[in-house]
Amino acid sequence: MSAIETAPAPVPTTPRPLVRPELLAPAGDWECVRAAVENGADAVYFGLERFNARMRAKNFTQADLPALMEFLHKRGVRGYVTFNVLVFTHELSDAEDYLRTIIASGVDAAIVQDTGICRLIRKISPDFPIHGSTQMTVTGDAGVEFARELGAELVVLARENSIKEIHAIQDAQRAANKTPLPLEVFVHGALCVAYSGQCLTSESLGGRSANRGECAQACRMPYDLISDGAQVDLGDRKYLLSPQDLAGLDVLPELVKAGVSSLKIEGRLKAPEYVASITRVYRQALDKIFAEYDNASAPFDAARAKYELSMTFSRGLYTGWFNGIQNQELAHGRFGTKRGVLLGTVTRVADDHVALRLESALKPGDGVVFDAGNHAAGEEGGRVYQVEPQRNGETVLRFGHGDLNFRRIKPGNFLWKNNDPALDRELRTTFEGEKIRFTRPVDVEVHGHANAPLTLILNDREGHVVKLESQVALAAAQNQPLTQQRLEDQLGRLGGTPFQLGTLSSHLEGAVMLPMSELNRIRREASTELDRLRGLPKRWTLVEKTPPLSFAATNSAPSNAALIVLVRSLEQLDATLAAGGFADIYCEFENPKHYRDAVIRFRTWQSSVAGLQVSGLSPQVSPPAIWVAPPRIFKPGEEWILKQVRSSEADGYIVRNHEHLRYFKNDRKRGDFSLNVANPLTAEYFISHYGLERVTASYDLNVVQLESLLGSAPGAWFDLTIHQHMPMFHMEHCVFCAFLSKGKDYKDCGRPCDKHTVALRDRTGSELPLKADAGCRNTVFNNRAQTGAEYFDRFRALGAQNFRIEFVNESPAEVTRTIAHYQKLLRGEIGGTELWKELRVINQLGVTRGQMEAAPQVIFKKN
């Protein structure tokens, strides 16, 4: 279902002063740290050996923190630790110990996803800075306010927010008469096709959760598009879910005008050359913007910059969603791996060379790859040995003997330059060794008069100030007095330090002089002391360790268990009503206009069974109710969808994001899995702070982790989903629009999502159902249902009461049959293992235990 209408985000009404944003670079190891620092990063972000969303990076250890922070702070660079994963109940004690080490080490902030971890940080430190991670899925001002209430001092917006939406979020913050919370955006690097914090693909397919730092990058794999049961011929477009890489260079001035506080470069898994290149390009581009603002100039070669960005790492460079939605451009579909710079198309192939008309510069030693449009089958590539221009305009390329299989290369293949050794060497010279290359301004003041010491004050603009007096008194100058120029010449000699002379204010009285040796001595001592002060760890308040937060869990098993059925069509709803035996029905329809019809059907059914015991189960404490779910993501301008959902007059609403918490604050509401409830601190916050009746336990939890959660909080707090097709990718990218139309968005796509039943076929032959919602966002579902039936008795013993089963494409007959089997389980007429076996038989594709099965591997490993 495509969106029918959407109000445009309001344009900014109040001009904002231009504020220089922080340039934030990734750092996977020490070399990357140096690469970032020496090329102008204002801050770096890095992970430790646990609790971060890039577990494949080298990462630092707790023992590294003091030296790392001292190095960064001496260079005027802030350091942020990524704590951007969901934390399970049994890990909370370890998480607290980690956080205490982080805070005591003087780290500048922690980047946090988990709501409970934000609460834990505030419990142990009232002033340590929290940055809300993009994994929080903040897409509007309600999400910004959510982060503020948790104590965050900055929030990272979703990559899917456009510049217009960023303006709208800023204006909404101001309209609320609150000081705007600083906003951070990703400005360059790999784009996740799914919303961060909402991708369950790796978890579903292999127990490697993106919310736990172990994304398997299934989005970079090839897929076939299946529409109405037939494969769509897309030619060489196979990488349907692989976006081009984000490059915000062209919209940098607009991001600055939008008041973004921090510009983040993605890439903690990338090489130091990548970090050096991207950091210096954006440093130069930012400096140029602000130089022009001051009617000055700064060097910046735009063509050279784009070449460099392409060569360091590129799947194609694109502005992402900054300029709005353009589904024809975001994911071209031809490849999902690094390419570089396009050199041209092969015109001829011989036994020992190829020919083409070069479109970009190429030299011997450069690395190239031949693109036949089928990356998964393997590609030919290597280093060019000779480059021979021909009279007809072609260029012949020769390679080392045996380096290529020329029979696999065909005329028409694209040729890409994917490595430039000269550029790599140049980049390494920017950070190798101990040499200080990038310096930051220090402001200088001098005071004094004849027969008194000279007072020298250094201020690094970061709160560090040094004041020293000369050991020799100033004397009246007979010649060569300490003029402004003379002072700048001498006090500006800061080579070998991380400083450069900023402003110099002379308050000397009269023409005075001082021996140059003394002036140099005091300059050296002052800069040394300033360097020492900057290296001292920041002091945050750290509360003594107290007993952990606990919640009374009266988990004696109740007399009956409740079955909740989630349906995705009116036909499934009718089958569920006919089956009976449920406590509540949840509806998640592609078109929320149909919710009104669903509620009418439910009320009619309700009237027909009034006064009767609901068939199949013991009487409920409260009568069955119908609940409806708004779309999983909300962005500025989509209030009309929420109004449409509420107009159904359902009994309650399934809240799935921060805007829902605000919009439905006066209604009955329960939290869906998208709130990422993985520990009792998070669960209690949503229930007590937002008045949710229950929350759905995170789909990242396996059986052992669910048992730990139930053992720490009342079972009545939770819905446990024990049968479902896991929702894997949840995307702004619309596959229907991109590959079944020529349109760029819902306005001109023709709404193929309303006309076709579509699936994506992966490399194993599995056909994964694809659905669109009212906001035109797509969800890819696992084609095999997973069940936790075998663990039902264990959950009941821990006090779990509410068990949810979900349907996607099941027929009414399948719905009826599945409900009947779970009714037997809840009544105790069949055991979990027996039900597991029956479900495997009656389901065409069988069933799986999915993520709920306790995996043998250790998710987090200490170095």
Side-chain angles (χ1 to χ4, degrees):
M1 165 61 196
S2 302
I4 299 170
E5 58 178 330
T6 183
V11 296
T13 55
T14 306
R16 304 177 184 125
L18 216 58
V19 177
R20 183 182 290 269
E22 166 189 83
L23 183 58
L24 176 58
D29 58 25
W30 268 106
E31 269 203 313
C32 291
V33 167
R34 293 186 183 279
V37 169
E38 299 300 353
N39 283 280
D42 298 309
V44 300
Y45 64 104
F46 55 89
L48 299 179
E49 66 267 48
R50 294 185 70 184
F51 303 116
N52 88 86
R54 284 292 183 270
M55 290 308 296
R56 290 184 292 131
K58 292 180 182 178
N59 293 316
F60 293 90
T61 68
Q62 295 177 86
D64 294 322
L65 281 176
L68 176 58
M69 295 313 303
E70 180 183 12
F71 171 77
L72 291 173
H73 288 161
K74 281 188 172 185
R75 301 302 305 277
V77 176
R78 293 173 288 280
Y80 308 139
V81 166
T82 56
F83 214 94
N84 53 345
V85 294
L86 300 184
V87 177
F88 301 149
T89 305
H90 71 278
E91 297 172 324
L92 288 174
S93 179
D94 284 352
E96 179 172 350
D97 290 341
Y98 253 71
L99 288 166
R100 287 182 175 278
T101 299
I102 289 167
I103 295 168
S105 299
V107 168
D108 292 282
I111 304 171
V112 182
Q113 172 186 17
D114 194 295
T115 298
I117 293 301
C118 291
R119 298 185 70 192
L120 183 58
I121 289 173
R122 279 294 159 262
K123 172 177 173 281
I124 63 181
S125 178
D127 56 4
F128 177 66
I130 299 171
H131 292 180
S133 169
T134 191
Q135 294 284 118
M136 278 189 172
T137 324
V138 173
T139 56
D141 68 287
V144 175
E145 188 59 27
F146 177 87
R148 185 201 300 272
E149 290 178 358
L150 282 171
E153 296 187 1
L154 174 146
V155 64
V156 188
L157 295 179
R159 293 172 174 88
E160 290 80 358
N161 280 117
S162 68
I163 293 173
K164 182 181 288 188
E165 289 162 351
I166 294 170
H167 277 294
I169 292 168
Q170 298 279 42
D171 286 343
Q173 289 197 81
R174 287 178 171 83
N177 294 318
K178 294 183 179 180
T179 302
L181 199 66
L183 303 181
E184 178 175 301
V185 300
F186 278 90
V187 72
H188 193 93
L191 274 178
C192 296
V193 74
Y195 273 91
S196 292
Q198 301 299 316
C199 185
L200 292 162
T201 309
S202 298
E203 178 68 79
S204 177
L205 298 179
R208 296 175 53 184
S209 170
N211 281 325
R212 296 281 288 174
E214 293 207 330
C215 171
Q217 295 191 313
C219 52
R220 303 300 180 188
M221 298 293 108
Y223 294 89
D224 294 323
L225 187 64
I226 309 299
S227 179
D228 301 324
Q231 182 173 338
V232 179
D233 184 4
L234 296 175
D236 61 3
R237 295 191 297 169
K238 296 285 188 182
Y239 296 85
L240 310 184
L241 304 181
S242 182
Q244 299 187 71
D245 287 352
L246 173 63
L249 198 63
D250 291 342
V251 297
L252 207 54
E254 285 72 27
L255 288 171
V256 171
K257 291 174 185 175
V260 170
S261 297
S262 181
L263 300 170
K264 189 172 194 171
I265 299 166
E266 182 275 338
R268 282 194 288 136
L269 294 173
K270 300 290 199 311
E273 289 85 356
Y274 169 91
V275 176
S277 173
I278 310 304
T279 303
R280 79 170 179 179
V281 166
Y282 281 88
R283 175 80 282 146
Q284 292 168 3
L286 275 174
D287 289 348
K288 181 177 186 292
I289 291 171
F290 284 88
E292 290 175 348
Y293 184 67
D294 294 331
N295 296 316
S297 62
F300 181 70
D301 184 336
R304 168 69 183 182
K306 290 184 178 180
Y307 170 80
E308 193 169 314
L309 296 180
S310 296
M311 288 310 305
T312 46
F313 193 95
S314 165
R315 299 179 182 92
L317 297 177
Y318 187 59
T319 51
W321 288 280
F322 280 138
N323 288 325
I325 295 171
Q326 192 4 312
N327 282 307
Q328 295 302 323
E329 296 179 357
L330 180 74
H332 49 64
R334 294 198 73 257
F335 49 81
T337 188
K338 175 184 176 181
R339 281 302 186 230
V341 172
L342 182 63
L343 294 171
T345 305
V346 174
T347 54
R348 292 185 293 110
V349 181
D351 291 339
D352 63 349
H353 67 268
V354 299
L356 75 162
R357 295 184 181 274
L358 278 179
E359 299 175 11
S360 301
L362 182 68
K363 60 186 180 299
D366 287 346
V368 299
V369 61
F370 291 88
D371 177 2
N374 189 9
H375 166 67
E379 296 174 321
E380 293 299 314
R383 298 211 174 271
V384 177
Y385 187 69
Q386 289 180 330
V387 180
E388 303 173 357
Q390 306 294 300
R391 290 182 178 180
N392 64 357
E394 288 184 333
T395 299
V396 167
L397 307 183
R398 300 186 186 277
F399 299 82
H401 181 69
D403 286 355
L404 300 181
N405 182 352
F406 288 94
R407 287 176 294 180
R408 296 191 67 218
I409 303 170
K410 307 295 181 185
N413 288 175
F414 291 115
L415 182 64
W416 301 84
K417 177 162 69 168
N418 61 0
N419 181 252
D420 183 340
L423 176 60
D424 288 345
R425 289 192 296 270
E426 176 194 331
L427 291 170
R428 290 206 69 84
T429 64
T430 67
F431 63 86
E432 276 189 324
E434 302 297 321
K435 180 182 177 181
I436 293 175
R437 299 164 179 86
F438 191 88
T439 56
R440 296 183 181 275
V442 57
D443 295 332
V444 179
E445 289 183 38
V446 291
H447 299 261
H449 55 82
N451 301 317
L454 178 141
T455 301
L456 176 65
I457 300 173
L458 302 187
N459 186 327
D460 73 347
R461 305 181 184 178
E462 297 285 341
H464 304 101
V465 179
V466 171
K467 178 180 178 181
L468 289 180
E469 291 186 348
S470 64
Q471 296 175 357
V472 178
L474 290 162
Q478 303 302 317
N479 51 40
Q480 294 188 331
L482 292 177
T483 63
Q484 180 79 15
Q485 185 61 54
R486 192 171 179 80
L487 286 168
E488 288 180 3
D489 290 343
Q490 292 303 121
L491 296 179
R493 294 183 177 180
L494 295 166
T497 76
F499 310 120
Q500 58 176 279
L501 182 62
T503 63
L504 189 147
S505 302
S506 176
H507 302 279
L508 297 177
E509 300 174 20
V512 293
M513 60 177 292
L514 190 73
M516 288 299 102
S517 59
E518 179 63 8
L519 192 58
N520 289 337
R521 184 196 65 79
I522 193 173
R523 181 200 69 229
R524 289 192 299 269
E525 287 194 10
S527 61
T528 299
E529 177 61 13
L530 185 60
D531 187 62
R532 186 192 70 82
L533 287 178
R534 284 156 61 100
L536 295 175
K538 291 193 173 181
R539 299 299 181 189
W540 307 112
T541 304
L542 199 54
V543 177
E544 288 187 17
K545 196 160 188 177
T546 58
L549 295 176
S550 61
F551 308 99
T554 54
N555 280 336
S556 57
S559 58
N560 64 298
L563 182 67
I564 300 160
V565 181
L566 185 146
V567 296
R568 289 189 167 91
S569 71
L570 288 170
E571 293 76 18
Q572 290 177 351
L573 173 64
D574 290 340
T576 302
L577 294 175
F582 53 82
D584 290 310
I585 292 179
Y586 293 170
C587 295
E588 184 190 358
F589 293 171
E590 297 175 39
N591 187 347
K593 283 186 175 181
H594 296 157
Y595 284 157
R596 184 183 293 273
D597 194 9
V599 172
I600 291 172
R601 295 188 190 198
F602 180 81
R603 298 275 184 258
T604 301
W605 170 86
Q606 205 170 33
S607 297
S608 71
V609 298
L612 301 176
Q613 177 175 313
V614 179
S615 172
L617 289 181
S618 302
Q620 304 298 319
V621 175
S622 58
I626 185 168
W627 300 68
V628 298
R632 202 154 134 198
I633 296 295
F634 173 90
K635 293 175 74 177
E638 295 179 350
E639 291 80 4
W640 67 273
I641 300 178
L642 300 186
K643 291 177 182 177
Q644 199 171 81
V645 171
R646 179 180 271 153
S647 71
S648 68
E649 298 183 349
D651 295 314
Y653 303 93
I654 307 302
V655 301
R656 315 174 90 185
N657 59 50
H658 311 112
E659 183 66 31
H660 298 169
L661 293 169
R662 179 167 69 183
Y663 189 84
F664 297 104
K665 65 180 179 180
N666 296 321
D667 301 290
R668 289 186 68 188
K669 52 193 171 294
R670 294 174 185 168
D672 206 0
F673 69 93
S674 53
L675 297 181
N676 284 326
V677 175
N679 59 64
L681 295 180
T682 299
E684 195 273 339
Y685 186 74
F686 282 116
I687 289 170
S688 65
H689 195 75
Y690 289 101
L692 301 189
E693 294 182 7
R694 298 199 296 268
V695 291
T696 305
S698 166
Y699 290 171
D700 283 287
L701 302 178
N702 64 31
V703 58
V704 174
Q705 292 149 0
L706 280 168
E707 288 177 322
S708 181
L709 179 63
L710 292 170
S712 65
W717 282 6
F718 304 104
D719 280 358
L720 299 188
T721 303
I722 59 169
H723 183 99
Q724 65 162 318
H725 295 266
M726 181 76 89
M728 302 194 307
F729 298 106
H730 187 61
M731 313 174 288
E732 191 75 29
H733 171 53
C734 183
V735 175
F736 294 93
C737 179
F739 299 103
L740 290 177
S741 86
K742 300 297 183 183
K744 68 180 181 65
D745 61 15
Y746 73 94
K747 297 175 185 175
D748 57 4
C749 69
R751 297 167 62 183
C753 52
D754 286 347
K755 304 169 185 174
H756 303 285
T757 300
V758 174
L760 300 181
R761 186 163 62 204
D762 66 16
R763 294 177 300 167
T764 70
S766 298
E767 295 188 5
L768 312 173
L770 180 73
K771 299 285 188 181
D773 67 17
C776 290
R777 294 171 191 107
N778 287 190
T779 303
V780 178
F781 291 89
N782 198 319
N783 64 326
R784 292 180 68 195
Q786 70 172 46
T787 177
E790 291 173 294
Y791 315 119
F792 172 76
D793 289 339
R794 293 163 63 175
F795 296 148
R796 290 285 288 134
L798 288 166
Q801 302 176 25
N802 304 291
F803 296 89
R804 173 167 154 182
I805 63 175
E806 296 189 359
F807 300 105
V808 177
N809 285 337
E810 286 88 345
S811 67
E814 290 174 303
V815 169
T816 301
R817 188 165 57 237
T818 303
I819 290 175
H821 279 82
Y822 278 96
Q823 287 173 344
K824 291 180 182 179
L825 176 69
L826 266 64
R827 290 195 300 260
E829 297 173 7
I830 188 174
T833 300
E834 187 178 352
L835 176 55
W836 156 262
K837 293 177 181 177
E838 288 192 13
L839 290 171
R840 293 188 70 184
V841 172
I842 66 174
N843 284 274
Q844 181 180 1
L845 299 174
V847 291
T848 174
R849 298 180 181 89
Q851 108 291 344
M852 200 169 283
E853 184 172 21
Q857 76 269 22
V858 177
I859 297 296
F860 289 128
K861 297 179 288 185
K862 292 188 177 181
N863 292 342

